Amino acid sequence: MARRPSVFDRALPREQPSPNEAAEPAAPPVEKSQAAGKVGIASLMSAGLDQAPGDKGVPPTPAVMAMKRSLKDLSEASIQEIPLDQIGDSRIHDRIDLTEDLEPLMKSLEENGQETAVKVRYAAPGAGKPVYEIIVGRRRVAAARALGWESIKGLVLKITDEELLRSLISENSARKDTTFIGRSQLAYLASKSGHSDDEIAKIYSSDRTLINRMIRIYEVIGPEIISRIGDAPDIGRRRWMDLRSLLEESPMSPDEVSNLITQGIDRFADEIAELWAKRVSTNSSGNESIPQSTLRFYALERMLQDLKTQASENADNGTDVAEGARPTKATARAQKRPLPGFGTVQRKPKELVLKIDRGLDPNLLQRIEDALPDLVRQVIKDAQGDKNS
């Protein structure tokens, strides 16, 4: 599909030379293939900036070299057409579902053209890898691809991983549609890329404990399950923490989560619609409909709450396999869970039982016991912080 003209395509009026300028010899012709934004810069760079006037053999001064580097960087950062098939995703990003509510952006691109350039940087070299990775503008790239465009206007920047993280966090903070789980994903991916919690907290201008908690929530729920839910823009930290707890009690695979979401939407559609209507009326936000990712979160949360209630009722009734009532899969997992490479953990109403696998050093239990006081203090401190936040 042909791309609509954008604000970047508007030609500037040509300045008319003065009588004195008209008498000067014309500059050499410029190749048509040169990018329009680079012509003036390239001519400056080739005009002998690395030599002093009249001294072609004199080495360039530091000031001249600094100017030349600045011109080179400016040249490379000029807006240019970038083929979409050469743009890959960034290792660090905050958006989870790029397709949600993408239609308005697609319509804007169709009607008005591209008004804001995306930002990319060169990707790590390798066979079969894209030339660029996106820094800012993932949704614009997704919308352009959905429209069938072949290229998009963009800036190619030279930035380090730390500068990339700062840029993403800055752009994230400026957006109105930022989400808690999106920020948590950004912190988690930054951590996996080698940034410490202290570094991330400093860039976020936040508390290290909060950053650690965000990373932990994302890590425990897991990227695959979070991708099945989506950004859930109206769900805050406390609700995600509650969901993490429910999934810890009834761990399941991403496919099982998808099945629960489908069942929850069918079973609790009216209840969720009523809850959302109350929220909208309270926030005076008109008759806006519930985002699909928020609907999926509500549905999964209600299904997990039902499983927890069912498991509790079975425990109160003393129902077990020996009495002929087969417990549900989720109930059985809540009673005893494997700890890969260690053994099992069994949670009871007021007990937590650890068992190590045969062949492991029994001293591991002693190490865990020695570490428990510090762990318990940290858990209590975090719990108090959650109540106060």
Side-chain angles (χ1 to χ4, degrees), residues 18 30 67 70-71 129 162 182 231 237 279 375:
S18 66
V30 177
M67 180 181 291
S70 298
L71 290 170
K129 290 186 177 181
E162 181 176 350
D231 291 276
R237 174 171 61 87
R279 182 185 179 99
L375 175 63

Side-chain angles (χ1 to χ4, degrees), residues 41-114:
I41 296 167
S43 61
L44 283 172
M45 291 176 64
S46 61
L49 281 175
D50 56 341
Q51 298 169 347
D55 270 326
K56 295 188 176 180
V58 176
T61 66
V64 169
M65 290 302 295
M67 180 181 291
K68 191 169 184 179
R69 282 194 300 269
S70 298
L71 290 170
K72 185 174 185 295
D73 291 342
L74 182 59
S75 172
E76 291 182 351
S78 299
I79 294 174
Q80 55 189 278
E81 286 282 353
I82 303 175
L84 286 168
D85 60 6
Q86 293 183 12
I87 301 176
D89 209 352
S90 171
R91 291 168 296 153
I92 306 175
H93 53 269
D94 65 323
R95 298 276 193 180
I96 295 169
D97 183 3
L98 294 176
T99 63
E100 187 168 30
D101 295 330
L102 194 64
E103 290 80 7
L105 180 55
M106 293 172 60
K107 184 178 180 181
S108 174
L109 288 177
E110 268 194 312
E111 294 179 352
N112 306 317
Q114 183 186 352

